Amino acid sequence: MKKSSILGIIVIAVAIAVIISTYSTSSTYGSFNDAKKSTEELHIVGHLNKVKELYYDPTKDANYFSFYMLDNKGEECKVVFTGTKPQDFERSEQIVLTGQMRGREFHASKILMKCPSKYTQDKIETTEYKSKQASL
Amino acid sequence: MTKVFEGEHLLPGQLGQLFIILSFGSALLSAISYFYAANQRDQHDQSWYKLGRLGFFINSFSVVAIGACLFYIIYNHLFEYHYAWAHSSRTLPTHYIISSFWEGQEGSFWLWTFWQAVLGNILIWKAKTWEKPVMAVVSLSQVLLSSMLIGVEILGSRVGSSPFILLREAIEAPIFSRPDYLQYIKDGNGLNPTLQNYWMTIHPPTLFLGFASMIVPFAYAIAGLWQRRYKEWVSAAIPYALFAVMILGTGIIMGSFWAYESLNFGGFWNWDPVENASLIPWLVLISAVHVLIVYKNTGHSYFTATFLTLISFVLVLYASFLTRSGILGETSVHAFTDLGMFWHLVIDIMVFLVLMVGLLVLRWKELPFSQKEEETYSREFWMFVGSAFLALSCLQLVVVTSVPVWNAMFKTNIAPPANPITLYNIFQGGFAVVIALFLGFTQFLKYKKTDATRFFITTLVYMFVAALITGVIIYITGLYKLRVVFMLAMFGAVYGVLANAKVLGDALKGKLKLAGSAVAHIGFALLLVGALIAAGTSKIVSQNETGVIRVKDFDKAGNPRENIMLYKNEPVTMGDYQVTYFGDSLVAPNHYFKVDYKRFDASGKVKEHFVLMPNSQANPKFGLVSSPDTKHYLLHDLYTHITAAPIKEEESMAAGATEASHDHANEDSHYNPPVVYEASVGDTIRFREGYMILRGLNKQPKLQNIPLKDNDVAVGAMLDIVSHGKAFKSEPVFMIKDGNSFDFARKVDDAGLKLRLSKIIPEKNKFEIMVYQQPESAKPYIVMRAIEFPYINFFWSGTIIMVIGFLMSIFRRNSELRVVPVKTGAKPVKKKPALVR
């Protein structure tokens, strides 16, 4: 067999490995109900329950922020985020959380929110907040 | 029934729109004419050729004219135009007006067409026999790019998006029914504050020059297949490919520098889809350059070289689709929205993909495949393998970044990886190991055939030395706490530096033409070293220890608490530093927080003292946007940014008011209930955060606008206050005027105090002093995060070295180009006969 064919096989094998591992590490969008059943991190799309209280008091703990979110199926859950409150959180239209359930609270490691802009109705802005620093 | 609106300047927009149409038409003319010119057999008929050139010159002129019109509109704040209104404002300084010019999609498309026009003119000047086919492809690309700017309705759907659309056409609102609506549009939206950074003035032009220049190698490859000049195009394309790689690489790193300097995600690379989109074509073109060089030197791997060159440009278009079609909506921070160009962008990709695949299939039988097997101990074989891995690393990026595309195509509901940064880091770290090792040991191989024994001896000697050095680095920097793959990557990078340093050393002794690649490789390897250490061992200095168990590595399991709270003028110990938030300064619209850093040596003396001023902008449109401030050292950086602060609305900030309004009725509610002390001169009064001494009495206190008569008495209590190691003075005044007693309170805002001299008790020779203290929560505070990035300068200097290496290579390849045509046929130019094969 030609060396380049062997190489070709290796390349294809690595490519397949990449795709499989990507698929296996990817999660699906879920609901709070799914999160209760799972121990994995997953993504939940929903919106803020603006009636209930947002709690952030940096004088007590600068790294604790909690709020109530309704997922797309309408289920409500308390969400805890270890970090500062994202600015303009109250105005968010849609929230995508990444995290997992701990007891009855959903602990989010990442919040991606979309805010309508005050001035332009034709634009939606997206902002992401992470509680942890990116690291290797 | 056209309505007349007052005060609108319609001329520049109409002119601009005219030039857009002209640029589209002339590009089309140029593409068609060049196509016929290239296919023509009759060498004497120059008409198509002249028409092609003419078309391109008109196109270049119109593109410049579009830019001039748009700039005129933005510079003169003509907010009747949507683009000017959406991206700029009156307060923007000129250099940010330039940034706002390319903030929007239309502006960045313009930038792209502009650079493509410039490159086209260079090609007309330089390409000689290649001009006709190459320019046909470049013009075709110019046609598609200009069509993105047209913004006219064709068959019920809008094609492209014009930057000259009027505000009243872009947005529907009742206000636009008034003829004098412009009076109510005082100012534009302004530029997103995170983009108000000097890197944003130069990063987009560089990046788009990089993107635009990738058309050139693509056009050469197409021209080579089309004109059946299969081998010739390679040498001509290499310098352009190197140029594209150099510029795009510089642009990408500039972007990461901007992220580091002005975004607060805490780092220089975030694997954001938009970042990946720029990296993907870069990696593929680098891999293409290597295989092109392999082909040029040995005649092997023709197909791979052509394929990679072609696909790299298609990937540029794909990247542009990813970032502009709005498909990444849920995964990306970048606020790109669908301008209704989804299918337009897809068509753009398909045109070039079909062109590429079609020509390859059509010419398949004629392609110069090499029948010989490569030697195992040859440079070309391992360069080829290394390039394949580079392309694979890119494949991983494409597959993962495109998750939303797969969802759209296959109607699936896959979420992107929960922790993309870790995923990318591990994968790309793995590829980096292989690639770095390859760029090291291939240096010891020769083209065609290498003496195996000698090769193994040198390789192993260098590997051994590299392993030793890596061990030391890993030990010193603490890299051993990370995953093995990153340590291996470090080993690969160190090995790469050493091996290429040897080549560079040899090159300086004589074989100078090899220096370019050696320098570029050293730069790339150093960049890896810097990125690995800085990203891998960066540490949060602002660890919040309250409520957190201080056990080593606890933060790996639990939640690291990265933000600390600083009250004004209260020093807090943070790592090795004592930090104090001691003041603010307002340069509207930026609110700078002054943070004082002190470091002490063992004996308690101040070893180091500096002030960092991270800023936040309370922007009505964008919310609170923080930019970090960084203290640069030779071997590390200390980076500080504000994550939360009780920030005032912009209006009050502009007035310069940082303190609460002076509403007397409400004022005492800002303080805790007062504590009353009776003190004599010399007494000390203690309060929660310090103490004060009643130094003495001032019989003639200053009182504004209150004339004192003979019977009136005014006394000021001279108080020396010490709070958190800082000294203040204050003088509350007690006064008897016309038989009534008054007192004038004094506030010491920085100490959170309000003081009153409320009574004089002559019989005891004492004075009643009331001390109001602000409750903790009412005091000004900031929540900040500080990160230390060790050895980050390797990352930046690696980049610069790499760019220098690319430049040297471009000069070398370009000079080869000049020598070859003159001597071809007479005798082999260099020692390598492969050159003229």
Side-chain angles (χ1 to χ4, degrees):
Chain A
M1 202 154 53
K2 258 179 101 177
K3 270 197 292 296
S4 44
S5 331
I6 300 173
L7 178 72
I9 293 167
I10 296 174
V11 166
I12 292 167
V14 174
I16 292 170
V18 164
I19 291 166
I20 291 176
S21 74
T22 305
Y23 192 76
S24 64
T25 50
S26 71
S27 51
T28 46
Y29 290 104
S31 61
F32 284 122
N33 216 352
D34 301 328
K36 279 173 192 153
K37 290 175 202 147
S38 161
T39 49
E40 304 274 297
E41 285 226 318
L42 75 157
H43 295 249
I44 297 181
V45 185
H47 60 272
L48 178 68
N49 186 348
K50 297 190 182 182
V51 185
K52 290 211 175 170
E53 186 202 19
L54 304 177
Y55 177 83
Y56 181 64
D57 187 357
T59 57
K60 296 223 170 65
D61 186 347
N63 294 297
Y64 182 92
F65 170 51
S66 77
F67 59 94
Y68 289 86
M69 186 174 111
L70 295 162
D71 67 15
N72 281 345
K73 291 187 176 147
E75 201 186 340
E76 190 194 62
C77 185
K78 186 179 180 186
V79 180
V80 172
F81 178 63
T82 321
T84 52
K85 188 185 94 170
Q87 293 293 327
D88 284 328
F89 194 74
E90 298 83 352
R91 296 204 287 128
S92 67
E93 281 197 335
Q94 191 194 35
I95 307 169
V96 184
L97 298 177
T98 309
Q100 64 203 91
M101 292 300 288
R102 292 214 187 124
R104 305 190 57 184
E105 293 170 341
F106 187 83
H107 283 242
S109 59
K110 209 163 83 183
I111 298 178
L112 185 87
M113 60 174 211
K114 293 187 175 185
C115 281
S117 157
K118 259 186 206 166
Y119 290 83
T120 42
Q121 264 76 51
D122 56 337
K123 278 189 185 171
I124 297 278
E125 284 151 29
T126 316
T127 342
E128 184 181 71
Y129 290 89
K130 268 185 234 124
S131 63
K132 290 175 205 170
Q133 182 209 356
S135 61
L136 288 187
Chain B
M1 41 147 265
T2 347
K3 210 165 187 166
V4 180
F5 294 96
E6 288 165 23
E8 280 184 344
H9 302 74
L10 295 179
L11 184 65
Q14 283 163 348
L15 266 180
Q17 191 63 32
L18 176 78
F19 281 119
I20 286 178
I21 305 290
L22 187 61
S23 76
F24 175 75
S26 56
L28 198 60
L29 172 74
S30 173
I32 294 169
S33 308
Y34 269 124
F35 175 79
Y36 281 111
N39 268 353
Q40 222 167 20
R41 292 260 165 258
D42 181 9
Q43 291 299 311
H44 298 289
D45 180 8
Q46 296 276 312
S47 52
W48 279 120
Y49 173 54
K50 281 183 180 156
L51 209 54
R53 277 197 168 189
L54 180 71
F56 203 82
F57 290 143
I58 297 176
N59 176 268
S60 309
F61 174 76
S62 356
V63 168
V64 173
I66 297 169
C69 291
L70 187 58
F71 188 78
Y72 178 85
I73 286 171
I74 298 178
Y75 190 76
N76 290 304
H77 308 297
L78 304 183
F79 296 128
E80 54 268 43
Y81 291 94
H82 180 253
Y83 200 87
W85 172 81
H87 301 291
S88 80
S89 66
R90 290 186 192 279
T91 48
L92 277 187
T94 311
H95 52 286
Y96 293 146
I97 284 182
I98 298 172
S99 319
S100 68
F101 189 87
W102 37 72
E103 190 204 7
Q105 292 212 24
E106 295 88 351
S108 58
F109 267 130
W110 176 82
L111 202 54
W112 193 341
T113 50
F114 171 75
W115 284 126
Q116 206 162 265
V118 170
L119 289 162
N121 281 292
I122 294 174
L123 285 168
I124 287 176
W125 173 38
K126 286 271 180 194
K128 308 259 163 33
T129 59
W130 287 103
E131 183 186 332
K132 293 170 198 168
V134 164
M135 284 306 293
V137 180
V138 174
S139 301
L140 176 64
S141 169
Q142 195 74 330
V143 171
L144 281 154
L145 275 184
S146 342
S147 72
M148 303 281 176
L149 290 176
I150 286 186
V152 290
E153 296 259 336
I154 296 174
L155 301 175
S157 57
R158 208 177 65 162
V159 175
S161 174
S162 164
F164 299 109
I165 284 183
L166 294 174
L167 186 58
R168 59 183 157 89
E169 294 168 341
I171 296 177
E172 279 185 28
I175 188 179
F176 298 118
S177 57
R178 304 176 64 125
D180 59 343
Y181 79 93
L182 257 183
Q183 288 186 2
Y184 299 93
I185 307 212
K186 295 266 184 270
D187 206 354
N189 250 335
L191 183 65
N192 188 328
T194 52
L195 301 180
Q196 295 182 23
N197 179 286
Y198 54 97
W199 286 113
M200 270 298 127
T201 314
I202 56 170
H203 155 67
T206 315
L207 198 71
F208 278 96
L209 175 57
F211 281 155
S213 53
M214 289 182 75
I215 182 73
V216 186
F218 176 86
Y220 268 101
I222 291 285
L225 291 173
W226 174 11
Q227 307 276 306
R228 295 194 166 80
R229 294 162 75 180
Y230 298 116
K231 297 168 187 173
E232 273 174 76
W233 71 270
V234 173
S235 329
I238 288 176
Y240 289 107
L242 279 167
F243 176 77
V245 165
M246 173 179 86
I247 299 292
L248 189 57
T250 314
I252 293 170
I253 302 283
M254 278 178 178
S256 80
F257 214 115
W258 161 66
Y260 183 68
E261 292 273 295
S262 126
L263 297 185
N264 54 25
F265 65 71
F268 47 87
W269 195 259
N270 207 23
W271 297 112
D272 183 89
V274 174
E275 294 173 344
N276 293 349
S278 63
L279 195 60
I280 288 164
W282 189 69
L283 287 174
V284 177
L285 192 62
I286 287 212
S287 138
V289 164
H290 284 86
V291 186
L292 284 173
I293 292 171
V294 166
Y295 175 74
K296 183 167 178 273
N297 284 325
T298 66
H300 285 294
S301 328
Y302 178 79
F303 173 73
T304 316
T306 314
F307 178 79
L308 286 174
T309 310
L310 291 171
I311 198 76
S312 65
F313 179 69
V314 176
L315 283 169
V316 170
L317 301 177
Y318 181 64
S320 157
F321 162 76
L322 279 181
T323 51
R324 291 167 190 273
S325 66
I327 197 157
L328 294 178
E330 282 190 358
T331 54
S332 174
V333 189
H334 288 68
F336 285 105
T337 42
D338 185 5
L339 282 183
M341 298 204 288
F342 188 96
W343 290 108
H344 197 158
L345 290 159
V346 173
I347 290 170
D348 191 16
I349 302 172
M350 292 318 289
V351 165
F352 288 94
L353 188 64
V354 166
L355 185 66
M356 158 190 169
V357 176
L359 264 177
L360 280 174
V361 170
L362 213 63
R363 299 282 194 255
W364 183 259
K365 292 219 168 93
E366 299 171 26
L367 295 186
F369 290 108
S370 132
Q371 295 308 315
K372 279 195 325 237
E373 171 106 17
E374 291 110 325
E375 287 289 333
T376 312
Y377 297 107
S378 68
R379 177 181 278 194
E380 61 268 26
F381 180 65
W382 292 103
M383 252 169 101
F384 179 74
V385 179
S387 308
F389 271 92
L390 204 55
L392 273 179
S393 82
C394 170
L395 180 77
Q396 194 260 342
L397 280 174
V398 174
V399 169
V400 183
T401 312
S402 306
V403 164
V405 180
W406 312 139
N407 280 342
M409 277 167 72
F410 306 117
K411 305 277 176 267
T412 45
N413 193 26
I414 313 167
N419 201 343
I421 295 182
T422 321
L423 179 80
Y424 284 120
N425 278 341
I426 292 172
F427 261 102
Q428 297 297 325
F431 285 117
V433 177
V434 179
I435 292 159
L437 283 175
F438 274 58
L439 73 83
F441 82 77
T442 46
Q443 302 304 324
F444 301 121
L445 289 164
K446 292 189 174 63
Y447 287 112
K448 307 284 188 197
K449 190 147 177 60
T450 314
D451 174 11
T453 336
R454 237 191 103 183
F455 163 71
F456 275 114
I457 291 171
T458 23
T459 312
L460 290 175
V461 166
Y462 273 83
M463 282 208 173
F464 181 70
V465 178
L468 284 182
I469 297 176
T470 310
V472 174
I473 293 177
I474 288 177
Y475 178 76
I476 292 177
T477 57
L479 216 58
Y480 53 84
K481 292 177 195 146
L482 305 174
R483 288 169 202 268
V484 180
V485 64
F486 301 121
M487 285 184 256
L488 288 176
M490 177 56 74
F491 168 69
V494 171
Y495 177 67
V497 172
L498 289 182
N500 283 283
K502 179 190 183 292
V503 178
L504 185 62
D506 293 347
L508 294 179
K509 276 184 230 146
K511 290 185 271 178
L512 248 173
K513 67 193 182 79
L514 294 179
S517 78
V519 172
H521 285 149
I522 291 175
F524 181 73
L526 281 178
L527 184 153
L528 261 181
V529 170
L532 279 166
I533 308 181
T537 66
S538 71
K539 92 176 177 257
I540 306 289
V541 189
S542 55
Q543 294 278 8
N544 191 339
E545 274 133 30
T546 47
V548 178
I549 313 156
R550 288 205 70 195
V551 182
K552 192 168 171 283
D553 291 337
F554 171 82
D555 53 358
K556 292 224 170 74
N559 280 323
R561 312 199 138 215
E562 302 184 340
N563 299 293
I564 59 165
M565 168 101 188
L566 295 180
Y567 286 112
K568 202 165 183 178
N569 293 315
E570 289 178 31
V572 167
T573 307
M574 182 185 85
D576 294 341
Y577 298 95
Q578 190 196 65
V579 287
T580 318
Y581 159 47
F582 72 98
D584 306 79
S585 77
L586 285 163
V587 184
N590 286 329
H591 186 152
Y592 291 90
F593 298 94
K594 296 182 187 163
V595 182
D596 178 275
Y597 277 77
K598 276 200 186 79
R599 207 149 59 100
F600 303 96
D601 60 9
S603 61
K605 275 211 298 199
V606 178
K607 204 161 67 176
E608 206 190 342
H609 183 205
F610 57 90
V611 172
L612 287 182
M613 307 220 304
N615 76 74
S616 286
Q617 211 180 86
N619 190 299
K621 186 184 165 202
F622 303 99
L624 180 124
V625 182
S626 297
S627 289
D629 191 16
T630 306
K631 168 89 177 161
H632 300 278
Y633 295 90
L634 184 62
L635 295 180
H636 70 275
D637 275 6
L638 184 73
Y639 164 110
T640 300
H641 82 263
I642 304 294
T643 49
I647 209 154
K648 311 289 175 304
E649 279 299 308
E650 196 178 36
E651 296 85 283
S652 61
M653 277 176 56
T658 47
E659 301 304 331
S661 65
H662 296 274
D663 182 351
H664 284 282
N666 273 328
E667 203 190 81
D668 284 357
S669 67
H670 296 309
Y671 294 91
N672 285 335
V675 185
V676 183
Y677 297 93
E678 287 180 9
S680 314
V681 172
D683 280 3
T684 301
I685 297 170
R686 300 198 173 273
F687 59 100
R688 197 176 62 232
E689 280 153 35
Y691 60 90
M692 63 186 91
I693 298 167
L694 181 57
R695 277 275 167 248
L697 293 176
N698 181 1
K699 298 278 163 58
Q700 267 119 21
K702 273 187 206 153
L703 287 172
Q704 275 184 338
N705 306 328
I706 302 177
L708 289 180
K709 289 182 225 145
D710 286 351
N711 292 334
D712 297 345
V713 184
V715 179
M718 299 192 293
L719 291 165
D720 286 1
I721 305 159
V722 177
S723 170
H724 293 291
K726 276 198 147 181
F728 306 93
K729 282 187 188 301
S730 183
E731 198 182 292
V733 173
F734 180 80
M735 179 176 81
I736 299 171
K737 186 171 163 64
D738 304 331
N740 292 320
S741 66
F742 302 91
D743 74 271
F744 297 93
R746 291 286 184 259
K747 289 202 287 183
V748 187
D749 284 330
D750 283 349
L753 288 177
K754 183 173 136 176
L755 301 166
R756 284 173 65 187
L757 175 55
S758 46
K759 213 187 269 177
I760 297 176
I761 315 166
E763 58 270 29
K764 291 197 216 161
N765 199 19
K766 282 196 170 177
F767 306 90
E768 189 182 277
I769 291 173
M770 291 171 85
V771 178
Y772 292 76
Q773 281 195 76
Q774 270 180 355
E776 293 270 307
S777 57
K779 287 194 292 183
Y781 69 88
I782 54 173
V783 178
M784 61 166 240
R785 190 161 81 146
I787 309 170
E788 194 179 279
F789 288 97
Y791 301 99
I792 191 151
N793 283 340
F794 277 112
F795 182 74
W796 310 125
S797 59
T799 309
I800 296 167
I801 294 171
M802 186 168 76
V803 169
I804 294 172
F806 279 133
L807 260 182
M808 293 164 70
S809 301
I810 294 172
F811 286 127
R812 175 200 164 188
R813 299 289 169 188
N814 214 13
S815 66
E816 280 177 1
L817 212 56
R818 247 174 263 133
V819 178
V820 177
V822 182
K823 294 186 182 170
T824 319
K827 60 174 180 177
V829 183
K830 302 251 159 75
K831 272 170 250 160
K832 290 185 211 109
L835 268 178
V836 282
R837 268 169 48 102

